[in-house]
Amino acid sequence: MRTQHIGSLELDQARLAEDLETSAGFRYSEAYSDYLCGGPWKSAVLWAASGDNGDGLVTNYDYAKAPDLTDYGKQLPYIWGLVADLVDLTRLNFARLAVISDSVIIPHRDLLELESIPGESRNAHRMHIPLVTNDRCFFSSGNEVYRMAEGEVWFFDAAQVHSAASLSSTPRVHLMLDFTDQESDEPLVKLPYRVDGGIPADRVERRPPMSEEERAELLGLAPLITMDNYRDVFSIVIKKHFRADGGDDFVWRTMREIARAGRDPAVAARIDEMQRYFTLERSA
Ligand code: YCP
Ligand code: CO
């Protein structure tokens, strides 16, 4: 399903605040933090196979078992009520709270490691609902940068190369729901929506085109890049992608260029290997 805004929920801020306070006591998983440069990707599993909180890695759940509410899910009556009223639970595979601050995500595709899981029990459609966000939080899909607002319901195409940023110390809290691809007479979402919306023009962030001077400045990092700091360089290049339009494949292209112009060939090899892992192939 294409990334698109399909509707909005009225959030009851007082009830939400109560649940968020409860969730502050959870032991969040930091699985997938290798996708981030900066703060970790913290997730709390609310709904998963056999109601097991698990370790947060989607490949480590028993897909032969029916999904159910976890201990964490049970402790968030308001947030869980929103989910149960909104979606067809029979096709819901995973529900997570995802929290990030002071961090950016390496452009990647998801679902690449799920091919060995049977089709009808594998995550196939994703939905994002921001619960707490701010104007320093961004997403990108390909070379399009956009923002989601609190309470909005979005389909999210995780098979396209995507990235995200949370450029402040205030945690961004999203509900992330993953669905299977089973046939059903019931709608997946109990909201009237059209499935052709795409990213609304007023959510797209208009970035200035990147100047030749700015590109040259980034390439100026080449003499500095080493095996010790290439993730710091990644962070600078990804942050630039959210502020200026460098064209298609800007992040990976720029990282390859910087690494090749650098002094240590091992860095260029590492970037190529990472690009394969994050965007092309990944086995569980
Ligand atoms: C995301 N994808 O795009 C997640 C973050 C890694 C997998 C963690 O939000
Ligand atoms: Co992702």
Side-chain angles (χ1 to χ4, degrees), residues 92-127:
L92 181 63
N93 227 9
F94 252 89
R96 294 176 276 185
L97 280 186
V99 181
I100 54 174
S101 56
D102 280 324
S103 206
V104 292
I105 302 186
I106 294 173
H108 66 280
R109 295 160 64 214
D110 290 315
L111 315 173
L112 298 175
E113 63 275 66
L114 303 183
E115 271 156 22
S116 54
I117 300 169
E120 66 285 357
S121 52
R122 171 197 319 162
N123 294 344
H125 305 293
R126 176 169 292 173
M127 185 179 280

PDB file of all heavy atoms in Angstrom, residues 92-127:
ATOM      1  N   LEU A  92      -4.331  -7.895  12.308  1.00  0.00           N
ATOM      2  CA  LEU A  92      -3.232  -7.168  12.956  1.00  0.00           C
ATOM      3  C   LEU A  92      -2.193  -8.170  13.466  1.00  0.00           C
ATOM      4  O   LEU A  92      -2.526  -9.107  14.195  1.00  0.00           O
ATOM      5  CB  LEU A  92      -3.764  -6.326  14.118  1.00  0.00           C
ATOM      6  CG  LEU A  92      -2.720  -5.495  14.873  1.00  0.00           C
ATOM      7  CD1 LEU A  92      -2.075  -4.455  13.959  1.00  0.00           C
ATOM      8  CD2 LEU A  92      -3.363  -4.794  16.075  1.00  0.00           C
ATOM      9  N   ASN A  93      -0.954  -8.006  13.066  1.00  0.00           N
ATOM     10  CA  ASN A  93       0.113  -8.940  13.411  1.00  0.00           C
ATOM     11  C   ASN A  93       0.957  -8.421  14.571  1.00  0.00           C
ATOM     12  O   ASN A  93       1.356  -9.165  15.443  1.00  0.00           O
ATOM     13  CB  ASN A  93       1.038  -9.081  12.194  1.00  0.00           C
ATOM     14  CG  ASN A  93       1.363 -10.510  11.875  1.00  0.00           C
ATOM     15  OD1 ASN A  93       0.778 -11.424  12.460  1.00  0.00           O
ATOM     16  ND2 ASN A  93       2.278 -10.706  10.958  1.00  0.00           N
ATOM     17  N   PHE A  94       1.222  -7.120  14.518  1.00  0.00           N
ATOM     18  CA  PHE A  94       2.140  -6.481  15.444  1.00  0.00           C
ATOM     19  C   PHE A  94       1.657  -5.094  15.742  1.00  0.00           C
ATOM     20  O   PHE A  94       1.249  -4.380  14.845  1.00  0.00           O
ATOM     21  CB  PHE A  94       3.487  -6.292  14.735  1.00  0.00           C
ATOM     22  CG  PHE A  94       4.532  -7.195  15.231  1.00  0.00           C
ATOM     23  CD1 PHE A  94       4.698  -8.437  14.659  1.00  0.00           C
ATOM     24  CD2 PHE A  94       5.339  -6.816  16.288  1.00  0.00           C
ATOM     25  CE1 PHE A  94       5.667  -9.285  15.125  1.00  0.00           C
ATOM     26  CE2 PHE A  94       6.307  -7.659  16.753  1.00  0.00           C
ATOM     27  CZ  PHE A  94       6.467  -8.896  16.169  1.00  0.00           C
ATOM     28  N   ALA A  95       1.726  -4.676  16.998  1.00  0.00           N
ATOM     29  CA  ALA A  95       1.504  -3.264  17.322  1.00  0.00           C
ATOM     30  C   ALA A  95       2.628  -2.869  18.251  1.00  0.00           C
ATOM     31  O   ALA A  95       2.960  -3.598  19.191  1.00  0.00           O
ATOM     32  CB  ALA A  95       0.146  -3.067  17.994  1.00  0.00           C
ATOM     33  N   ARG A  96       3.238  -1.737  17.960  1.00  0.00           N
ATOM     34  CA  ARG A  96       4.375  -1.278  18.771  1.00  0.00           C
ATOM     35  C   ARG A  96       4.267   0.206  19.034  1.00  0.00           C
ATOM     36  O   ARG A  96       3.747   0.947  18.206  1.00  0.00           O
ATOM     37  CB  ARG A  96       5.686  -1.512  18.003  1.00  0.00           C
ATOM     38  CG  ARG A  96       5.992  -2.954  17.789  1.00  0.00           C
ATOM     39  CD  ARG A  96       7.241  -3.143  16.947  1.00  0.00           C
ATOM     40  NE  ARG A  96       6.924  -3.063  15.522  1.00  0.00           N
ATOM     41  CZ  ARG A  96       7.801  -3.293  14.551  1.00  0.00           C
ATOM     42  NH1 ARG A  96       9.051  -3.580  14.844  1.00  0.00           N
ATOM     43  NH2 ARG A  96       7.446  -3.227  13.283  1.00  0.00           N
ATOM     44  N   LEU A  97       4.803   0.623  20.174  1.00  0.00           N
ATOM     45  CA  LEU A  97       5.092   2.040  20.384  1.00  0.00           C
ATOM     46  C   LEU A  97       6.534   2.209  19.958  1.00  0.00           C
ATOM     47  O   LEU A  97       7.397   1.439  20.385  1.00  0.00           O
ATOM     48  CB  LEU A  97       4.997   2.417  21.866  1.00  0.00           C
ATOM     49  CG  LEU A  97       3.645   2.670  22.496  1.00  0.00           C
ATOM     50  CD1 LEU A  97       3.870   3.158  23.929  1.00  0.00           C
ATOM     51  CD2 LEU A  97       2.841   3.696  21.709  1.00  0.00           C
ATOM     52  N   ALA A  98       6.808   3.195  19.123  1.00  0.00           N
ATOM     53  CA  ALA A  98       8.173   3.437  18.655  1.00  0.00           C
ATOM     54  C   ALA A  98       8.576   4.837  19.077  1.00  0.00           C
ATOM     55  O   ALA A  98       7.871   5.803  18.790  1.00  0.00           O
ATOM     56  CB  ALA A  98       8.244   3.300  17.139  1.00  0.00           C
ATOM     57  N   VAL A  99       9.688   4.920  19.789  1.00  0.00           N
ATOM     58  CA  VAL A  99      10.113   6.191  20.383  1.00  0.00           C
ATOM     59  C   VAL A  99      11.524   6.534  19.910  1.00  0.00           C
ATOM     60  O   VAL A  99      12.432   5.708  20.046  1.00  0.00           O
ATOM     61  CB  VAL A  99      10.111   6.086  21.932  1.00  0.00           C
ATOM     62  CG1 VAL A  99      10.522   7.405  22.563  1.00  0.00           C
ATOM     63  CG2 VAL A  99       8.737   5.658  22.442  1.00  0.00           C
ATOM     64  N   ILE A 100      11.687   7.732  19.337  1.00  0.00           N
ATOM     65  CA  ILE A 100      13.056   8.175  19.005  1.00  0.00           C
ATOM     66  C   ILE A 100      13.251   9.654  19.334  1.00  0.00           C
ATOM     67  O   ILE A 100      12.321  10.455  19.245  1.00  0.00           O
ATOM     68  CB  ILE A 100      13.468   7.944  17.528  1.00  0.00           C
ATOM     69  CG1 ILE A 100      12.485   8.562  16.535  1.00  0.00           C
ATOM     70  CG2 ILE A 100      13.673   6.496  17.213  1.00  0.00           C
ATOM     71  CD1 ILE A 100      12.978   8.457  15.083  1.00  0.00           C
ATOM     72  N   SER A 101      14.476   9.981  19.706  1.00  0.00           N
ATOM     73  CA  SER A 101      14.850  11.389  19.888  1.00  0.00           C
ATOM     74  C   SER A 101      16.310  11.550  19.490  1.00  0.00           C
ATOM     75  O   SER A 101      17.085  10.592  19.542  1.00  0.00           O
ATOM     76  CB  SER A 101      14.627  11.832  21.336  1.00  0.00           C
ATOM     77  OG  SER A 101      15.327  10.991  22.217  1.00  0.00           O
ATOM     78  N   ASP A 102      16.644  12.770  19.067  1.00  0.00           N
ATOM     79  CA  ASP A 102      18.021  13.089  18.666  1.00  0.00           C
ATOM     80  C   ASP A 102      18.619  12.003  17.773  1.00  0.00           C
ATOM     81  O   ASP A 102      19.684  11.471  18.070  1.00  0.00           O
ATOM     82  CB  ASP A 102      18.923  13.235  19.914  1.00  0.00           C
ATOM     83  CG  ASP A 102      18.742  14.602  20.560  1.00  0.00           C
ATOM     84  OD1 ASP A 102      18.554  15.587  19.828  1.00  0.00           O
ATOM     85  OD2 ASP A 102      18.774  14.671  21.799  1.00  0.00           O
ATOM     86  N   SER A 103      17.920  11.696  16.691  1.00  0.00           N
ATOM     87  CA  SER A 103      18.408  10.596  15.882  1.00  0.00           C
ATOM     88  C   SER A 103      17.900  10.688  14.442  1.00  0.00           C
ATOM     89  O   SER A 103      16.909  11.367  14.176  1.00  0.00           O
ATOM     90  CB  SER A 103      17.957   9.270  16.496  1.00  0.00           C
ATOM     91  OG  SER A 103      18.841   8.240  16.148  1.00  0.00           O
ATOM     92  N   VAL A 104      18.594   9.999  13.554  1.00  0.00           N
ATOM     93  CA  VAL A 104      18.132   9.853  12.170  1.00  0.00           C
ATOM     94  C   VAL A 104      18.240   8.379  11.786  1.00  0.00           C
ATOM     95  O   VAL A 104      19.051   7.644  12.359  1.00  0.00           O
ATOM     96  CB  VAL A 104      18.963  10.713  11.178  1.00  0.00           C
ATOM     97  CG1 VAL A 104      18.722  12.195  11.416  1.00  0.00           C
ATOM     98  CG2 VAL A 104      20.455  10.388  11.249  1.00  0.00           C
ATOM     99  N   ILE A 105      17.409   7.980  10.832  1.00  0.00           N
ATOM    100  CA  ILE A 105      17.378   6.573  10.404  1.00  0.00           C
ATOM    101  C   ILE A 105      18.053   6.447   9.038  1.00  0.00           C
ATOM    102  O   ILE A 105      17.790   7.248   8.136  1.00  0.00           O
ATOM    103  CB  ILE A 105      15.914   6.062  10.355  1.00  0.00           C
ATOM    104  CG1 ILE A 105      15.259   6.212  11.741  1.00  0.00           C
ATOM    105  CG2 ILE A 105      15.850   4.629   9.859  1.00  0.00           C
ATOM    106  CD1 ILE A 105      13.858   5.604  11.848  1.00  0.00           C
ATOM    107  N   ILE A 106      18.928   5.481   8.911  1.00  0.00           N
ATOM    108  CA  ILE A 106      19.596   5.212   7.633  1.00  0.00           C
ATOM    109  C   ILE A 106      18.540   4.813   6.598  1.00  0.00           C
ATOM    110  O   ILE A 106      17.689   3.955   6.881  1.00  0.00           O
ATOM    111  CB  ILE A 106      20.639   4.084   7.826  1.00  0.00           C
ATOM    112  CG1 ILE A 106      21.772   4.577   8.747  1.00  0.00           C
ATOM    113  CG2 ILE A 106      21.194   3.611   6.485  1.00  0.00           C
ATOM    114  CD1 ILE A 106      22.774   3.499   9.136  1.00  0.00           C
ATOM    115  N   PRO A 107      18.547   5.439   5.400  1.00  0.00           N
ATOM    116  CA  PRO A 107      17.529   5.083   4.395  1.00  0.00           C
ATOM    117  C   PRO A 107      17.560   3.580   4.106  1.00  0.00           C
ATOM    118  O   PRO A 107      18.627   3.020   3.815  1.00  0.00           O
ATOM    119  CB  PRO A 107      17.948   5.896   3.159  1.00  0.00           C
ATOM    120  CG  PRO A 107      18.731   7.056   3.704  1.00  0.00           C
ATOM    121  CD  PRO A 107      19.435   6.512   4.926  1.00  0.00           C
ATOM    122  N   HIS A 108      16.402   2.945   4.215  1.00  0.00           N
ATOM    123  CA  HIS A 108      16.356   1.483   4.123  1.00  0.00           C
ATOM    124  C   HIS A 108      14.987   1.036   3.632  1.00  0.00           C
ATOM    125  O   HIS A 108      14.050   1.828   3.580  1.00  0.00           O
ATOM    126  CB  HIS A 108      16.602   0.871   5.506  1.00  0.00           C
ATOM    127  CG  HIS A 108      15.482   1.184   6.468  1.00  0.00           C
ATOM    128  ND1 HIS A 108      15.375   2.390   7.116  1.00  0.00           N
ATOM    129  CD2 HIS A 108      14.391   0.467   6.850  1.00  0.00           C
ATOM    130  CE1 HIS A 108      14.280   2.402   7.855  1.00  0.00           C
ATOM    131  NE2 HIS A 108      13.660   1.239   7.710  1.00  0.00           N
ATOM    132  N   ARG A 109      14.882  -0.253   3.329  1.00  0.00           N
ATOM    133  CA  ARG A 109      13.592  -0.883   3.069  1.00  0.00           C
ATOM    134  C   ARG A 109      13.373  -1.908   4.171  1.00  0.00           C
ATOM    135  O   ARG A 109      14.324  -2.559   4.612  1.00  0.00           O
ATOM    136  CB  ARG A 109      13.590  -1.574   1.710  1.00  0.00           C
ATOM    137  CG  ARG A 109      13.736  -0.601   0.554  1.00  0.00           C
ATOM    138  CD  ARG A 109      14.208  -1.294  -0.714  1.00  0.00           C
ATOM    139  NE  ARG A 109      13.235  -2.249  -1.166  1.00  0.00           N
ATOM    140  CZ  ARG A 109      13.531  -3.399  -1.759  1.00  0.00           C
ATOM    141  NH1 ARG A 109      14.793  -3.750  -1.962  1.00  0.00           N
ATOM    142  NH2 ARG A 109      12.587  -4.212  -2.132  1.00  0.00           N
ATOM    143  N   ASP A 110      12.125  -2.050   4.614  1.00  0.00           N
ATOM    144  CA  ASP A 110      11.815  -3.085   5.594  1.00  0.00           C
ATOM    145  C   ASP A 110      11.274  -4.308   4.865  1.00  0.00           C
ATOM    146  O   ASP A 110      11.127  -4.297   3.650  1.00  0.00           O
ATOM    147  CB  ASP A 110      10.787  -2.567   6.607  1.00  0.00           C
ATOM    148  CG  ASP A 110      11.402  -1.518   7.525  1.00  0.00           C
ATOM    149  OD1 ASP A 110      12.517  -1.736   8.008  1.00  0.00           O
ATOM    150  OD2 ASP A 110      10.776  -0.465   7.719  1.00  0.00           O
ATOM    151  N   LEU A 111      10.968  -5.344   5.627  1.00  0.00           N
ATOM    152  CA  LEU A 111      10.330  -6.576   5.144  1.00  0.00           C
ATOM    153  C   LEU A 111      11.289  -7.499   4.392  1.00  0.00           C
ATOM    154  O   LEU A 111      10.940  -8.609   4.058  1.00  0.00           O
ATOM    155  CB  LEU A 111       9.107  -6.286   4.233  1.00  0.00           C
ATOM    156  CG  LEU A 111       8.122  -5.202   4.704  1.00  0.00           C
ATOM    157  CD1 LEU A 111       7.088  -4.924   3.625  1.00  0.00           C
ATOM    158  CD2 LEU A 111       7.420  -5.645   5.976  1.00  0.00           C
ATOM    159  N   LEU A 112      12.530  -7.059   4.140  1.00  0.00           N
ATOM    160  CA  LEU A 112      13.444  -7.864   3.331  1.00  0.00           C
ATOM    161  C   LEU A 112      13.781  -9.190   3.997  1.00  0.00           C
ATOM    162  O   LEU A 112      14.102 -10.155   3.332  1.00  0.00           O
ATOM    163  CB  LEU A 112      14.755  -7.106   3.085  1.00  0.00           C
ATOM    164  CG  LEU A 112      14.647  -5.791   2.312  1.00  0.00           C
ATOM    165  CD1 LEU A 112      16.015  -5.106   2.250  1.00  0.00           C
ATOM    166  CD2 LEU A 112      14.133  -6.059   0.910  1.00  0.00           C
ATOM    167  N   GLU A 113      13.741  -9.216   5.342  1.00  0.00           N
ATOM    168  CA  GLU A 113      14.151 -10.436   6.047  1.00  0.00           C
ATOM    169  C   GLU A 113      12.978 -11.359   6.349  1.00  0.00           C
ATOM    170  O   GLU A 113      13.131 -12.360   7.018  1.00  0.00           O
ATOM    171  CB  GLU A 113      14.905 -10.095   7.337  1.00  0.00           C
ATOM    172  CG  GLU A 113      14.115  -9.351   8.399  1.00  0.00           C
ATOM    173  CD  GLU A 113      14.105  -7.843   8.177  1.00  0.00           C
ATOM    174  OE1 GLU A 113      13.516  -7.420   7.148  1.00  0.00           O
ATOM    175  OE2 GLU A 113      14.624  -7.113   9.020  1.00  0.00           O
ATOM    176  N   LEU A 114      11.779 -11.014   5.857  1.00  0.00           N
ATOM    177  CA  LEU A 114      10.598 -11.789   6.259  1.00  0.00           C
ATOM    178  C   LEU A 114      10.194 -12.846   5.247  1.00  0.00           C
ATOM    179  O   LEU A 114       9.183 -13.514   5.414  1.00  0.00           O
ATOM    180  CB  LEU A 114       9.406 -10.840   6.493  1.00  0.00           C
ATOM    181  CG  LEU A 114       9.637  -9.738   7.538  1.00  0.00           C
ATOM    182  CD1 LEU A 114       8.367  -8.929   7.725  1.00  0.00           C
ATOM    183  CD2 LEU A 114      10.068 -10.340   8.872  1.00  0.00           C
ATOM    184  N   GLU A 115      11.002 -13.015   4.184  1.00  0.00           N
ATOM    185  CA  GLU A 115      10.564 -13.896   3.104  1.00  0.00           C
ATOM    186  C   GLU A 115      10.340 -15.339   3.511  1.00  0.00           C
ATOM    187  O   GLU A 115       9.532 -16.039   2.897  1.00  0.00           O
ATOM    188  CB  GLU A 115      11.534 -13.806   1.926  1.00  0.00           C
ATOM    189  CG  GLU A 115      11.087 -12.699   0.992  1.00  0.00           C
ATOM    190  CD  GLU A 115      12.204 -12.127   0.131  1.00  0.00           C
ATOM    191  OE1 GLU A 115      13.208 -12.835  -0.067  1.00  0.00           O
ATOM    192  OE2 GLU A 115      12.040 -10.979  -0.315  1.00  0.00           O
ATOM    193  N   SER A 116      11.011 -15.782   4.581  1.00  0.00           N
ATOM    194  CA  SER A 116      10.839 -17.186   4.965  1.00  0.00           C
ATOM    195  C   SER A 116       9.583 -17.407   5.820  1.00  0.00           C
ATOM    196  O   SER A 116       9.204 -18.549   6.079  1.00  0.00           O
ATOM    197  CB  SER A 116      12.077 -17.665   5.726  1.00  0.00           C
ATOM    198  OG  SER A 116      12.309 -16.791   6.807  1.00  0.00           O
ATOM    199  N   ILE A 117       8.914 -16.333   6.226  1.00  0.00           N
ATOM    200  CA  ILE A 117       7.680 -16.474   7.024  1.00  0.00           C
ATOM    201  C   ILE A 117       6.510 -16.654   6.052  1.00  0.00           C
ATOM    202  O   ILE A 117       6.434 -15.953   5.053  1.00  0.00           O
ATOM    203  CB  ILE A 117       7.481 -15.220   7.913  1.00  0.00           C
ATOM    204  CG1 ILE A 117       8.681 -15.066   8.870  1.00  0.00           C
ATOM    205  CG2 ILE A 117       6.173 -15.285   8.679  1.00  0.00           C
ATOM    206  CD1 ILE A 117       8.728 -13.740   9.598  1.00  0.00           C
ATOM    207  N   PRO A 118       5.592 -17.618   6.319  1.00  0.00           N
ATOM    208  CA  PRO A 118       4.484 -17.842   5.387  1.00  0.00           C
ATOM    209  C   PRO A 118       3.701 -16.558   5.085  1.00  0.00           C
ATOM    210  O   PRO A 118       3.463 -15.751   5.981  1.00  0.00           O
ATOM    211  CB  PRO A 118       3.587 -18.842   6.124  1.00  0.00           C
ATOM    212  CG  PRO A 118       4.410 -19.408   7.212  1.00  0.00           C
ATOM    213  CD  PRO A 118       5.546 -18.479   7.485  1.00  0.00           C
ATOM    214  N   GLY A 119       3.324 -16.395   3.811  1.00  0.00           N
ATOM    215  CA  GLY A 119       2.682 -15.164   3.337  1.00  0.00           C
ATOM    216  C   GLY A 119       1.539 -14.674   4.195  1.00  0.00           C
ATOM    217  O   GLY A 119       1.442 -13.494   4.500  1.00  0.00           O
ATOM    218  N   GLU A 120       0.645 -15.601   4.651  1.00  0.00           N
ATOM    219  CA  GLU A 120      -0.559 -15.134   5.349  1.00  0.00           C
ATOM    220  C   GLU A 120      -0.275 -14.701   6.786  1.00  0.00           C
ATOM    221  O   GLU A 120      -1.122 -14.081   7.408  1.00  0.00           O
ATOM    222  CB  GLU A 120      -1.681 -16.178   5.275  1.00  0.00           C
ATOM    223  CG  GLU A 120      -1.438 -17.494   6.012  1.00  0.00           C
ATOM    224  CD  GLU A 120      -0.454 -18.441   5.311  1.00  0.00           C
ATOM    225  OE1 GLU A 120       0.029 -18.115   4.204  1.00  0.00           O
ATOM    226  OE2 GLU A 120      -0.167 -19.497   5.888  1.00  0.00           O
ATOM    227  N   SER A 121       0.930 -14.995   7.314  1.00  0.00           N
ATOM    228  CA  SER A 121       1.205 -14.540   8.676  1.00  0.00           C
ATOM    229  C   SER A 121       2.350 -13.533   8.737  1.00  0.00           C
ATOM    230  O   SER A 121       2.822 -13.171   9.801  1.00  0.00           O
ATOM    231  CB  SER A 121       1.475 -15.726   9.607  1.00  0.00           C
ATOM    232  OG  SER A 121       2.457 -16.558   9.067  1.00  0.00           O
ATOM    233  N   ARG A 122       2.772 -13.054   7.585  1.00  0.00           N
ATOM    234  CA  ARG A 122       3.914 -12.141   7.520  1.00  0.00           C
ATOM    235  C   ARG A 122       3.421 -10.685   7.470  1.00  0.00           C
ATOM    236  O   ARG A 122       2.376 -10.397   6.897  1.00  0.00           O
ATOM    237  CB  ARG A 122       4.670 -12.509   6.240  1.00  0.00           C
ATOM    238  CG  ARG A 122       5.745 -11.607   5.851  1.00  0.00           C
ATOM    239  CD  ARG A 122       6.180 -11.779   4.392  1.00  0.00           C
ATOM    240  NE  ARG A 122       6.268 -13.126   3.878  1.00  0.00           N
ATOM    241  CZ  ARG A 122       6.290 -13.393   2.565  1.00  0.00           C
ATOM    242  NH1 ARG A 122       6.226 -12.446   1.667  1.00  0.00           N
ATOM    243  NH2 ARG A 122       6.354 -14.645   2.151  1.00  0.00           N
ATOM    244  N   ASN A 123       4.185  -9.764   8.074  1.00  0.00           N
ATOM    245  CA  ASN A 123       3.821  -8.345   7.991  1.00  0.00           C
ATOM    246  C   ASN A 123       3.825  -7.890   6.534  1.00  0.00           C
ATOM    247  O   ASN A 123       4.809  -8.083   5.829  1.00  0.00           O
ATOM    248  CB  ASN A 123       4.839  -7.485   8.741  1.00  0.00           C
ATOM    249  CG  ASN A 123       4.833  -7.736  10.238  1.00  0.00           C
ATOM    250  OD1 ASN A 123       3.882  -8.321  10.755  1.00  0.00           O
ATOM    251  ND2 ASN A 123       5.858  -7.292  10.928  1.00  0.00           N
ATOM    252  N   ALA A 124       2.739  -7.277   6.103  1.00  0.00           N
ATOM    253  CA  ALA A 124       2.660  -6.850   4.705  1.00  0.00           C
ATOM    254  C   ALA A 124       2.232  -5.397   4.564  1.00  0.00           C
ATOM    255  O   ALA A 124       2.595  -4.740   3.594  1.00  0.00           O
ATOM    256  CB  ALA A 124       1.701  -7.754   3.937  1.00  0.00           C
ATOM    257  N   HIS A 125       1.429  -4.893   5.489  1.00  0.00           N
ATOM    258  CA  HIS A 125       0.977  -3.497   5.422  1.00  0.00           C
ATOM    259  C   HIS A 125       1.293  -2.838   6.748  1.00  0.00           C
ATOM    260  O   HIS A 125       1.087  -3.428   7.798  1.00  0.00           O
ATOM    261  CB  HIS A 125      -0.539  -3.412   5.205  1.00  0.00           C
ATOM    262  CG  HIS A 125      -0.977  -4.158   4.002  1.00  0.00           C
ATOM    263  ND1 HIS A 125      -0.636  -3.772   2.736  1.00  0.00           N
ATOM    264  CD2 HIS A 125      -1.713  -5.287   3.879  1.00  0.00           C
ATOM    265  CE1 HIS A 125      -1.147  -4.635   1.871  1.00  0.00           C
ATOM    266  NE2 HIS A 125      -1.802  -5.571   2.542  1.00  0.00           N
ATOM    267  N   ARG A 126       1.756  -1.612   6.679  1.00  0.00           N
ATOM    268  CA  ARG A 126       2.104  -0.904   7.909  1.00  0.00           C
ATOM    269  C   ARG A 126       1.293   0.379   8.029  1.00  0.00           C
ATOM    270  O   ARG A 126       0.978   1.026   7.036  1.00  0.00           O
ATOM    271  CB  ARG A 126       3.600  -0.589   7.920  1.00  0.00           C
ATOM    272  CG  ARG A 126       4.005   0.233   9.134  1.00  0.00           C
ATOM    273  CD  ARG A 126       5.505   0.315   9.289  1.00  0.00           C
ATOM    274  NE  ARG A 126       6.062  -0.990   9.639  1.00  0.00           N
ATOM    275  CZ  ARG A 126       7.354  -1.234   9.698  1.00  0.00           C
ATOM    276  NH1 ARG A 126       8.230  -0.280   9.429  1.00  0.00           N
ATOM    277  NH2 ARG A 126       7.787  -2.431  10.033  1.00  0.00           N
ATOM    278  N   MET A 127       0.995   0.705   9.285  1.00  0.00           N
ATOM    279  CA  MET A 127       0.295   1.953   9.559  1.00  0.00           C
ATOM    280  C   MET A 127       1.070   2.696  10.648  1.00  0.00           C
ATOM    281  O   MET A 127       1.608   2.073  11.572  1.00  0.00           O
ATOM    282  CB  MET A 127      -1.102   1.591  10.052  1.00  0.00           C
ATOM    283  CG  MET A 127      -2.003   2.740  10.272  1.00  0.00           C
ATOM    284  SD  MET A 127      -3.595   2.092  10.824  1.00  0.00           S
ATOM    285  CE  MET A 127      -4.259   1.603   9.272  1.00  0.00           C
TER     286      MET A 127
END
